[in-house]
Amino acid sequence: MSHNVQTVLSAAQEVTNRDLSDAKGPVEVPNGSAYSDHPRLKVHRKYRHVAALHSKVQPSCLSHEATETPSFIGFRNLMVLTIIVMNLRLVVENAQKYGLLITLKLNLRSQDIQTALILYALTPCHLFVAYIIERVAMENAKGAVGKRKKNDPDGSTPETEEEKTDFYYTWWWIAVAHALNASLALLITSYVVYYHIYNPGLGMISETHAIVVWLKTCSYAFTNRDLRHAMLHPGGPESALPEIYSKCPYPRNVTLRNLCYFWWAPTLVYQPYYPRTDRIRWTFFFKRVGEVVALCVFVWLVCAQYAIPVLHNSLGGMAVLDFSAIAERLMKLSTISLIVWLAGFFAIFQSFLNALAEITRFGDRVFYEDWWNSTSLKMYWATWNKPVYHFMRRHIYSPLVGRGWSPRAASAWVFVFSGVLHELAVGVPSHSILGVAFLGMVLQLPLILCTEPLAKKDGTGKVIGNCIFWINFVFVGQPLAAMIYFFSYQAKYGAMSKMAQR
Amino acid sequence: MSHNVQTVLSAAQEVTNRDLSDAKGPVEVPNGSAYSDHPRLKVHRKYRHVAALHSKVQPSCLSHEATETPSFIGFRNLMVLTIIVMNLRLVVENAQKYGLLITLKLNLRSQDIQTALILYALTPCHLFVAYIIERVAMENAKGAVGKRKKNDPDGSTPETEEEKTDFYYTWWWIAVAHALNASLALLITSYVVYYHIYNPGLGMISETHAIVVWLKTCSYAFTNRDLRHAMLHPGGPESALPEIYSKCPYPRNVTLRNLCYFWWAPTLVYQPYYPRTDRIRWTFFFKRVGEVVALCVFVWLVCAQYAIPVLHNSLGGMAVLDFSAIAERLMKLSTISLIVWLAGFFAIFQSFLNALAEITRFGDRVFYEDWWNSTSLKMYWATWNKPVYHFMRRHIYSPLVGRGWSPRAASAWVFVFSGVLHELAVGVPSHSILGVAFLGMVLQLPLILCTEPLAKKDGTGKVIGNCIFWINFVFVGQPLAAMIYFFSYQAKYGAMSKMAQR
């Protein structure tokens, strides 16, 4: 053997020696045999290429025979990231296609603004007219009570026939006066918005304001009627009033101050007295106002940059009823309308109403509940808009049920009524009373019947119910209605709108 | 009063009577006063328009002062639906734009198929060569043991210098033979794939097969070397072998049957004995095979209809380095590559390996763990591909640490080695060894250092770690690498590929 080979060999030998015998640290082997009982024990073994990594029979964690299902929490995070990235891509695509569509130039006629401001100032007057009517009714009732006390101090004599006739006669005229006053509030605004306010956004704000005032007027009239009747006919357990009203009993509540509070309070149901907070937290108030401003700007940007192009691009498909094109636009619009809706919901129901409640020291801030977890459509309609739900329950549903209607029939009537209000709020400002919003509300009834059994089930049933709610609401209801009204509006004012856009 | 007015009045009166006094059912009022203590008690009250719906001070459920955060489970369902709808929209858009791109005509040259089949048949031969080498080494070792026993029956005489030299001489030649054999397995395939297989898909399958055979050959050689050494130098607690190997001790494991089992077993680490199941469940096997077929078809359809157009559309942006266009394509591709990857992962690691394990009665089915919940990149690399992880740990990481390397340096070396394998598997079949796959693996090291502290934190830290893992993996790593290799491939074979597409 030459010297060279010897050197190579000894080098190899050295490596081998190092490799095979570099055993360090404690070695724990239970018995003296060549085979260890703990193949996965972390000891520095002499032989490192022999570890038994496959030492027992065990299934894959996704197989059915696995003893426990693994957690899938990572996929939740993946979903959030996927949605962010997918939308980010659409943002980039939109920027490449359209550039910046947002301009600071507001597409508003000065005449529209003028008309809207006049409506905004005049509509609340109907509340004051309702106050005057109530004031007259109250004086009348107080007079009746005074007369009765004078004639019959111990209250033993029953009402005379004349007294009864007199009371109901007054009652009837008051009802007519209230009905006229309240209806006028709605009719005048609807007429003005439909014929004189071109901008649908401004029109919708004016119309919604009128609906709110109308509902408040109705609630004021209904509640005071019952309170007046209770004063005139005291006693009897069934005529008990809520304990909280004892702090401001009828007729002490019929004051201008009390009415003004109701005018501004974030509720649609009149109560002589509301739970109040101790003080106005100004930081809370300004935070909420900041949220409202930020979210409004956000909604405006999203609409201008993303919703309007999608709506414009849908016109072609709508005109020739190309269903695959309509479906594609609908699905594209659904994400945008969902974002706009969620931002709008938060802006109005969390930020705006909480700010209003803070400034009026209004205590009950449950303007919504966790409607996003609704397992049935019924639950959704009862939780997403508490002020309107309260109004419907107190002034429509309960009285109807009390008169002997079945709960289902009363619910149906609530949805029909609500459909009319929705049609007013959407159809009038967009100058196209199509009945789609109305139908959208009325069609909730069969859907509610379908989803009601799911809410009572566990697990999967509830998830399915929740999914049906979301599909109905986010992917069909909102964007479809938006597209139909947009199409109708464009069919009517298309040229005008394009001119205004330039 | 005329008769007419009288009639109207009595009708109104009747309505009023009905409305105001239709009190039914039990009435529970605790005290006799006009105000009830339970304003929300469900009794049939006389006055229905007076219910106190606002009876206490309470915050909105999304406000900070709310006592408990509401559940947001509904939004999880919404996310799933949003992802489905967003992708459904892309499907419709794709159909409108491209129509059906899938054809049953396979874009394969018959020469490619021939070459791949020859490679597929020849590559495993290297395993048999390794067997022959092992057989020679075993006979040699058995001879040495026999000679020693004959000369020194009670084992008291120490090894002579001649014996030692002889042993190491043999050892060295065996090592060289194994190294040559194994390297040839990889080199021949790589050469053939790079120069003679045009189709990248077929090339990748051939190359991956060669890598698997190469790793198996290496593991077979390393493990048998240690086992042989243990037989030649028995005793000493540090030379203990895993208990499970006692069922098939060296040299009884060096048989053709044992090697063939290792050839087909779904593992890359050689063990003389593996945990086995009792019987083959044929229904389980056919279900898994069905899954493999279905998922492969699915992946093929998704690639042909959705991935290829996106990749083709990315070429323009890549050529002029338009980063916003590249980012947009990247994000569009990310969802598709994620779907393909998840389907491919399931097809290979759950369905294919489980089918293979079932048919070979291989017991240890932990081919992956819940990598989708990884809170750090380290955890991901240790869980998503257990066969390769086992190989790296047993034959690279542990020996290096045993030789005194720091765990960090040993890990780094594992990633460098893994990077070379990735580059081989991607760069060779696509005929463009760019180093991107290699760099992608090596760049995991700094990312692992960054995400490691997050895994030890609770809650948000873990979520952030998981999100970093997903972003790195799904939104940057996979689609970027795919786009770069596709671009490089098209730059080289663009015209040819277009011709083949027609």
Side-chain angles (χ1 to χ4, degrees):
Chain A
M1 224 177 267
S2 77
H3 183 254
N4 248 357
V5 170
Q6 259 320 86
T7 320
V8 169
L9 259 185
S10 23
Q13 192 169 326
E14 210 174 301
V15 166
T16 315
N17 274 335
R18 235 185 336 140
D19 186 34
L20 292 182
S21 52
D22 191 13
K24 297 185 289 191
V27 178
E28 294 173 45
V29 179
N31 49 23
S33 88
Y35 298 101
S36 149
D37 273 323
H38 299 275
R40 288 192 173 210
L41 210 69
K42 236 194 166 179
V43 293
H44 288 113
R45 279 228 191 63
K46 192 167 177 176
Y47 303 116
R48 285 183 204 94
H49 295 286
V50 296
L53 295 176
H54 303 291
S55 57
K56 61 173 185 267
V57 173
Q58 49 191 342
S60 304
C61 67
L62 290 179
S63 289
H64 285 301
E65 62 258 43
T67 44
E68 51 180 330
T69 325
S71 153
F72 290 108
I73 195 86
F75 283 116
R76 189 205 56 185
N77 301 331
L78 176 64
M79 283 199 298
V80 175
L81 289 171
T82 303
I83 288 178
I84 292 173
V85 166
M86 288 186 83
N87 283 296
L88 209 62
R89 185 189 80 79
L90 292 175
V91 168
V92 173
E93 197 184 62
N94 172 286
Q96 288 178 338
K97 220 167 163 182
Y98 302 109
L100 196 68
L101 291 176
I102 299 154
T103 49
L104 278 176
K105 198 176 127 267
L106 282 170
N107 184 15
L108 278 176
R109 300 188 309 175
S110 63
Q111 198 201 319
D112 277 10
I113 300 176
Q114 230 171 326
T115 320
L117 283 177
I118 293 169
L119 275 182
Y120 183 72
L122 290 184
T123 308
C125 292
H126 292 276
L127 262 177
F128 291 94
V129 174
Y131 166 70
I132 292 164
I133 298 169
E134 261 329 300
R135 190 88 210 183
V136 170
M138 181 198 81
E139 295 301 340
N140 189 293
K142 265 181 22 188
V145 170
K147 210 162 72 182
R148 200 191 301 162
K149 267 197 186 147
K150 212 165 112 190
N151 294 350
D152 177 30
D154 53 344
S156 56
T157 326
E159 274 184 290
T160 62
E161 204 51 40
E162 194 202 355
E163 269 175 358
K164 267 188 182 169
T165 313
D166 194 43
F167 172 76
Y168 287 118
Y169 189 71
T170 318
W171 186 95
W172 200 75
W173 281 115
I174 290 165
V176 167
H178 270 309
L180 270 177
N181 172 49
S183 307
L184 271 178
L186 207 55
L187 286 176
I188 292 172
T189 306
S190 298
Y191 175 85
V192 173
V193 168
Y194 194 83
Y195 289 105
H196 298 289
I197 297 189
Y198 164 72
N199 185 288
L202 209 60
M204 196 177 229
I205 295 172
S206 302
E207 188 68 24
T208 311
H209 180 226
I211 291 173
V212 167
V213 169
W214 182 60
L215 293 177
K216 285 201 185 216
T217 312
C218 291
S219 182
Y220 189 72
F222 278 130
T223 310
N224 274 313
R225 187 196 68 181
D226 273 9
L227 291 174
R228 198 164 63 243
H229 195 275
M231 183 187 74
L232 288 172
H233 306 81
E238 81 278 10
S239 54
L241 293 174
E243 173 70 19
I244 193 172
Y245 295 176
S246 63
K247 288 185 185 162
C248 182
Y250 192 86
R252 261 168 50 200
N253 69 311
V254 188
T255 62
L256 209 57
R257 191 191 157 84
N258 186 288
L259 176 86
C260 283
Y261 183 77
F262 176 55
W263 175 21
W264 284 101
T267 177
L268 295 173
V269 296
Y270 176 71
Q271 291 183 195
Y273 185 88
Y274 293 101
R276 304 283 290 272
T277 57
D278 298 330
R279 57 183 193 82
I280 299 171
R281 294 168 298 170
W282 287 104
T283 51
F284 180 92
F285 172 74
F286 286 114
K287 271 184 192 167
R288 297 295 87 75
V289 170
E291 282 170 9
V292 172
V293 172
L295 285 167
C296 285
V297 170
F298 173 77
V299 165
W300 174 55
L301 294 183
V302 168
C303 285
Q305 184 74 40
Y306 303 106
I308 300 291
V310 175
L311 284 168
H312 269 288
N313 291 342
S314 74
L315 293 176
M318 293 280 282
V320 297
L321 274 183
D322 175 354
F323 285 111
S324 89
I326 292 176
E328 191 271 333
R329 289 290 93 183
L330 206 60
M331 288 191 273
K332 180 139 189 183
L333 192 59
S334 69
T335 318
I336 303 166
S337 76
L338 172 65
I339 291 168
V340 167
W341 199 90
L342 288 179
F345 168 82
F346 197 90
I348 294 172
F349 285 87
Q350 169 66 10
S351 306
F352 174 70
L353 289 186
N354 260 298
L356 202 57
E358 194 63 35
I359 208 86
T360 54
R361 299 201 288 106
F362 189 82
D364 186 5
R365 310 277 170 99
V366 182
F367 305 120
Y368 57 89
E369 282 173 65
D370 57 339
W371 55 265
W372 47 88
N373 299 327
S374 301
T375 51
S376 72
L377 282 164
K378 192 179 178 180
M379 201 169 146
Y380 166 69
W381 289 109
T383 48
W384 88 272
N385 187 338
K386 279 278 181 187
V388 166
Y389 173 71
H390 280 156
F391 181 91
M392 298 293 181
R393 196 177 128 201
R394 199 210 217 189
H395 297 303
I396 300 185
Y397 179 83
S398 295
L400 288 180
V401 170
R403 276 167 184 236
W405 289 43
S406 74
R408 195 155 279 176
S411 291
W413 180 242
V414 165
F415 274 90
V416 169
F417 177 73
S418 174
V420 172
L421 292 188
H422 274 83
E423 188 63 43
L424 274 179
V426 179
V428 170
S430 65
H431 313 284
S432 28
I433 300 181
L434 305 172
V436 171
F438 174 76
L439 217 67
M441 283 305 294
V442 173
L443 285 180
Q444 297 302 310
L445 286 164
L447 279 170
I448 286 175
L449 283 181
C450 296
T451 53
E452 221 168 342
L454 290 170
K456 281 161 201 153
K457 283 187 184 161
D458 298 345
T460 325
K462 279 194 196 293
V463 172
I464 293 171
N466 187 243
C467 286
I468 292 176
F469 145 65
W470 281 117
I471 290 169
N472 162 58
F473 168 66
V474 180
F475 297 114
V476 181
Q478 297 272 338
L480 190 62
M483 263 166 67
I484 292 172
Y485 279 97
F486 186 82
F487 179 75
S488 157
Y489 184 82
Q490 289 294 326
K492 239 179 165 173
Y493 299 92
M496 228 172 133
S497 149
K498 266 177 207 151
M499 264 171 64
Q501 271 209 329
R502 266 170 211 152
Chain B
M1 222 178 264
S2 78
H3 183 253
N4 249 359
V5 171
Q6 259 319 84
T7 319
V8 168
L9 260 184
S10 24
Q13 194 169 327
E14 209 174 302
V15 168
T16 317
N17 275 334
R18 228 176 352 132
D19 187 33
L20 293 181
S21 51
D22 192 13
K24 298 186 289 192
V27 179
E28 293 174 46
V29 178
N31 49 23
S33 89
Y35 298 101
S36 149
D37 274 323
H38 300 273
R40 286 187 176 215
L41 210 70
K42 235 193 167 179
V43 293
H44 287 113
R45 277 226 193 68
K46 190 169 180 177
Y47 302 117
R48 285 180 205 96
H49 295 286
V50 296
L53 296 175
H54 303 291
S55 56
K56 61 172 184 262
V57 173
Q58 48 188 342
S60 303
C61 67
L62 290 178
S63 290
H64 287 299
E65 63 258 43
T67 43
E68 51 180 330
T69 325
S71 153
F72 290 107
I73 194 84
F75 283 116
R76 188 205 57 186
N77 301 332
L78 176 63
M79 283 199 299
V80 176
L81 289 172
T82 302
I83 288 176
I84 293 172
V85 167
M86 286 185 84
N87 283 297
L88 208 63
R89 187 190 78 81
L90 291 175
V91 167
V92 173
E93 198 183 62
N94 173 287
Q96 288 179 337
K97 220 166 161 184
Y98 302 109
L100 197 68
L101 292 177
I102 300 153
T103 49
L104 277 176
K105 199 176 126 265
L106 281 170
N107 184 16
L108 278 176
R109 301 189 308 177
S110 64
Q111 197 201 319
D112 277 10
I113 300 175
Q114 230 171 327
T115 319
L117 282 177
I118 294 169
L119 276 182
Y120 183 72
L122 290 184
T123 309
C125 293
H126 293 274
L127 260 177
F128 291 94
V129 174
Y131 166 71
I132 292 165
I133 298 169
E134 260 330 299
R135 191 87 210 182
V136 171
M138 182 198 81
E139 296 300 343
N140 189 293
K142 264 176 34 184
V145 169
K147 208 162 74 185
R148 202 191 300 166
K149 270 202 183 137
K150 211 164 118 192
N151 294 348
D152 177 30
D154 54 346
S156 56
T157 328
E159 271 185 291
T160 63
E161 204 52 41
E162 194 202 353
E163 269 174 356
K164 267 191 183 168
T165 313
D166 194 43
F167 172 76
Y168 285 118
Y169 191 69
T170 320
W171 187 93
W172 200 75
W173 281 116
I174 291 166
V176 166
H178 269 310
L180 271 175
N181 172 50
S183 306
L184 272 178
L186 207 56
L187 285 175
I188 293 172
T189 305
S190 297
Y191 175 85
V192 173
V193 167
Y194 194 83
Y195 289 105
H196 298 288
I197 296 189
Y198 164 74
N199 185 290
L202 210 59
M204 196 175 228
I205 294 170
S206 303
E207 188 68 26
T208 311
H209 181 226
I211 291 173
V212 166
V213 169
W214 182 60
L215 293 177
K216 284 198 184 218
T217 311
C218 292
S219 183
Y220 189 72
F222 279 130
T223 310
N224 275 313
R225 187 197 67 181
D226 273 9
L227 291 174
R228 198 164 61 244
H229 195 276
M231 183 188 74
L232 288 171
H233 306 83
E238 79 279 11
S239 55
L241 293 175
E243 173 68 20
I244 194 171
Y245 295 177
S246 63
K247 290 186 182 160
C248 183
Y250 191 88
R252 263 170 46 202
N253 69 309
V254 189
T255 61
L256 209 56
R257 190 190 158 84
N258 186 288
L259 176 85
C260 283
Y261 184 77
F262 176 56
W263 174 23
W264 284 100
T267 177
L268 295 174
V269 296
Y270 176 71
Q271 291 182 194
Y273 186 87
Y274 293 100
R276 304 282 290 271
T277 56
D278 298 329
R279 56 182 195 85
I280 300 173
R281 293 168 297 169
W282 287 105
T283 51
F284 180 93
F285 173 74
F286 286 114
K287 271 184 192 168
R288 297 295 87 75
V289 170
E291 282 171 8
V292 172
V293 172
L295 285 166
C296 284
V297 170
F298 174 77
V299 165
W300 173 56
L301 294 183
V302 168
C303 285
Q305 184 73 41
Y306 302 107
I308 301 292
V310 174
L311 284 168
H312 269 287
N313 291 342
S314 74
L315 293 175
M318 294 280 282
V320 296
L321 274 184
D322 175 352
F323 285 110
S324 89
I326 293 176
E328 190 271 336
R329 288 292 94 182
L330 205 61
M331 287 191 274
K332 180 138 187 181
L333 191 58
S334 68
T335 318
I336 302 164
S337 75
L338 171 65
I339 291 168
V340 168
W341 198 90
L342 288 179
F345 167 82
F346 197 90
I348 294 172
F349 286 86
Q350 168 66 13
S351 307
F352 175 70
L353 290 185
N354 259 299
L356 203 57
E358 193 64 34
I359 208 86
T360 54
R361 298 200 290 107
F362 189 81
D364 186 5
R365 311 276 171 98
V366 182
F367 306 119
Y368 59 88
E369 281 171 67
D370 58 338
W371 54 266
W372 47 86
N373 299 328
S374 301
T375 51
S376 72
L377 282 164
K378 193 179 178 180
M379 201 169 146
Y380 166 69
W381 288 110
T383 48
W384 89 272
N385 186 338
K386 279 277 181 187
V388 167
Y389 173 72
H390 281 157
F391 182 91
M392 297 294 179
R393 196 178 127 200
R394 198 209 216 190
H395 297 302
I396 299 185
Y397 179 84
S398 295
L400 287 180
V401 170
R403 278 165 183 236
W405 288 42
S406 73
R408 195 155 281 175
S411 290
W413 180 242
V414 165
F415 274 90
V416 169
F417 178 73
S418 173
V420 172
L421 291 189
H422 274 82
E423 188 64 41
L424 275 180
V426 179
V428 170
S430 65
H431 313 284
S432 28
I433 299 181
L434 305 172
V436 171
F438 174 75
L439 218 68
M441 282 307 291
V442 173
L443 285 180
Q444 297 302 309
L445 286 165
L447 278 171
I448 286 174
L449 284 181
C450 295
T451 53
E452 220 166 341
L454 289 170
K456 282 163 200 152
K457 284 187 185 162
D458 297 344
T460 326
K462 279 195 195 294
V463 171
I464 293 171
N466 187 245
C467 286
I468 291 175
F469 144 66
W470 280 117
I471 291 170
N472 162 59
F473 167 67
V474 180
F475 297 114
V476 181
Q478 297 273 337
L480 190 62
M483 263 166 66
I484 292 172
Y485 280 98
F486 186 83
F487 179 75
S488 156
Y489 184 83
Q490 287 295 326
K492 239 178 166 174
Y493 299 92
M496 227 173 135
S497 150
K498 264 174 211 153
M499 266 171 62
Q501 272 209 328
R502 265 168 213 153

